[in-house]
């Protein structure tokens, strides 16, 4: 997760196969990691998978369906097991978890195709809120490569029910 405010999309998917998309919310993830969403009353009382994704993030699903009520919260950061298939990383070494990023083209895997986009922007000294800025500091540079490379080498990809 970057250092600045990040736009994320939060989706609710049905709890049973084929896990159809039930509702989408787009919002800004604050630096504390929170995204405050308001869903229609039609979701209250039903369970859904909570799915988080963003500009260069691997789509990450909640470990299990979540029962929705008026004040439902879901925190991916508290445990590896909060993500389906434990598909996230410990960013602090002491139990603060985050979703993987580096998936520039949003194909569900961090790989060489994403590197090509990063390299183009790196060579052009690109700056701003762009998908190849993995650490969220507003500049595409070698620090972003240091995030992409271990994710690529670990074959990081989307894990879904």
């Amino acid at each position: 997760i970057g250092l600045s405010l990040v736009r994320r999309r939060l989706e609710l998917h049905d709890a049973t196969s084929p896990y159809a998309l039930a509702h989408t919310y787009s919002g800004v993830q604050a630096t504390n990691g929170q995204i405050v969403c308001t869903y229609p009353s039609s979701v209250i009382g039903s369970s859904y998978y909570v799915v988080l994704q963003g500009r260069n993030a691997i789509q990450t699903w909640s470990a299990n369906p979540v029962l929705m009520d008026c004040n439902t919260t879901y925190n991916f950061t508290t445990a590896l097991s909060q993500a389906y298939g434990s598909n996230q990383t410990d960013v602090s070494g002491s139990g603060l978890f985050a979703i993987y990023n580096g998936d520039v083209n949003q194909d569900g895997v961090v790989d060489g195709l994403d590197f090509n986009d990063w390299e183009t922007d790196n060579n052009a000294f690109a700056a701003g809120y762009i998908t190849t800025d993995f650490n969220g500091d507003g500049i595409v540079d070698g620090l972003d490569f240091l995030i992409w490379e271990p994710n690529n080498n670990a074959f990081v990809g989307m894990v879904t029910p």
Side-chain angles (χ1 to χ4, degrees):
I1 297 177
L3 304 174
S4 60
L5 297 179
V6 176
R7 180 155 293 283
R8 297 273 188 223
R9 188 169 74 227
L10 192 82
E11 299 175 345
L12 299 180
H13 284 257
D14 290 342
T16 57
S17 181
Y19 313 108
L21 177 63
H23 192 74
T24 301
Y25 175 84
S26 292
V28 174
Q29 178 179 349
T31 55
N32 68 359
Q34 278 192 332
I35 303 171
V36 177
C37 305
T38 303
Y39 287 104
S41 60
S42 61
V43 304
I44 304 301
S46 297
S47 294
Y48 298 93
Y49 279 100
V50 176
V51 180
L52 184 62
Q53 58 190 59
R55 64 185 176 148
N56 58 26
I58 290 291
Q59 185 184 74
T60 305
W61 290 55
S62 58
N64 296 296
V66 177
L67 178 62
M68 302 302 287
D69 63 31
C70 293
N71 295 307
T72 299
T73 62
Y74 194 83
N75 191 341
F76 282 95
T77 69
T78 59
L80 188 64
S81 61
Q82 288 292 98
Y84 190 86
S86 298
N87 196 32
Q88 52 184 349
T89 186
D90 186 344
V91 293
S92 68
S94 63
L96 178 63
F97 297 90
I99 61 176
Y100 289 106
N101 70 20
D103 185 16
V104 177
N105 63 5
Q106 294 290 284
D107 65 353
V109 64
V110 177
D111 60 11
L113 296 173
D114 304 302
F115 173 80
N116 291 338
D117 292 337
W118 171 84
E119 185 176 39
T120 298
D121 287 351
N122 179 63
N123 291 341
F125 303 101
Y129 186 76
I130 52 180
T131 59
T132 51
D133 175 22
F134 304 138
N135 67 356
D137 66 359
I139 302 167
V140 178
D141 59 13
L143 295 174
D144 301 304
F145 178 80
L146 295 175
I147 292 172
W148 172 86
E149 184 182 35
N151 291 346
N152 174 72
N153 293 346
F155 304 102
V156 167
M158 185 171 50
V159 178
T160 63

